[in-house]
Amino acid sequence: MLSSLSTPLFGNLWLRLSIFPKPLIAAVNGSGHWCSGPTTLALVDCVVVSDSAYFSTPFSSLGLSVECCSTYTFPQIMGQSMAAQMLYFNHKMSATEALQSGLVSRVIPSAEFDDYIENWIFAERIGIVNTCYPQSMRASKQLVRSAAIR
């Protein structure tokens, strides 16, 4: 299974996520490990998590080197020191730490999480689907990503 992470399928997935023109939102209510966790979240535009969420990258405890794009994205997002803790030392990052390090945008209490996500995205008068223009979001994402690359 782990050897399948280096196949063109997964490489293409991360490339496609990194250049996807529409805003990408992740909602995490639980644990995130490996590619389904912090590695992929680093490529998402907005990450909302419950206060019970946590993230880990247990590569060195399994005798593996880090994968995907985390060697680039983690230091860019959370700084060299926290990236080292995550990638070298199997640090289990809490939701609060993820917020402080810039990996996530918002932490919501677990009991309110589902309702918050539903309302934030779909509510009739306040949900982003009904209040944000798609072309504006695309143009803004392009500008933000271009500035990040410079």
Side-chain angles (χ1 to χ4, degrees), residues 120-121 123-134 137:
W120 178 57
I121 296 175
E124 187 173 329
R125 295 181 192 255
I126 60 169
I128 59 176
V129 167
N130 297 308
T131 60
C132 298
Y133 289 92
M137 289 188 293

Side-chain angles (χ1 to χ4, degrees), residues 71-132:
T71 56
Y72 176 77
T73 57
F74 279 25
Q76 295 290 320
I77 292 169
M78 60 184 78
Q80 186 69 33
S81 183
M82 183 55 80
Q85 272 198 353
M86 290 292 293
L87 297 173
Y88 311 161
F89 308 127
N90 313 311
H91 177 67
K92 182 178 172 182
M93 181 181 277
S94 69
T96 302
E97 284 179 300
L99 179 64
Q100 292 167 345
S101 71
L103 184 63
V104 306
S105 313
R106 187 172 300 245
V107 177
I108 305 298
S110 294
E112 303 166 19
F113 187 76
D114 291 340
D115 288 337
Y116 175 86
I117 296 298
E118 184 74 24
N119 288 326
W120 178 57
I121 296 175
F122 299 110
E124 187 173 329
R125 295 181 192 255
I126 60 169
I128 59 176
V129 167
N130 297 308
T131 60
C132 298

Side-chain angles (χ1 to χ4, degrees), residues 5-138:
L5 295 178
S6 61
T7 65
L9 171 67
F10 279 95
N12 288 338
L13 170 66
W14 287 296
L15 173 62
R16 289 173 191 242
L17 286 174
S18 69
I19 62 172
F20 193 72
K22 298 177 184 179
L24 293 168
I25 298 171
V28 180
N29 189 7
S31 64
H33 306 283
W34 299 90
C35 302
S36 63
T39 299
T40 302
L41 293 182
L43 298 172
V44 173
D45 300 299
C46 182
V47 182
V48 180
V49 301
S50 71
D51 57 4
S52 63
Y54 65 91
F55 308 96
S56 67
T57 53
F59 303 108
S60 62
S61 66
L62 299 170
L64 302 171
S65 63
V66 295
E67 43 74 39
C68 311
C69 51
S70 56
T71 56
Y72 176 77
T73 57
F74 279 25
Q76 295 290 320
I77 292 169
M78 60 184 78
Q80 186 69 33
S81 183
M82 183 55 80
Q85 272 198 353
M86 290 292 293
L87 297 173
Y88 311 161
F89 308 127
N90 313 311
H91 177 67
K92 182 178 172 182
M93 181 181 277
S94 69
T96 302
E97 284 179 300
L99 179 64
Q100 292 167 345
S101 71
L103 184 63
V104 306
S105 313
R106 187 172 300 245
V107 177
I108 305 298
S110 294
E112 303 166 19
F113 187 76
D114 291 340
D115 288 337
Y116 175 86
I117 296 298
E118 184 74 24
N119 288 326
W120 178 57
I121 296 175
F122 299 110
E124 187 173 329
R125 295 181 192 255
I126 60 169
I128 59 176
V129 167
N130 297 308
T131 60
C132 298
Y133 289 92
Q135 292 299 63
S136 175
M137 289 188 293
R138 278 184 175 193

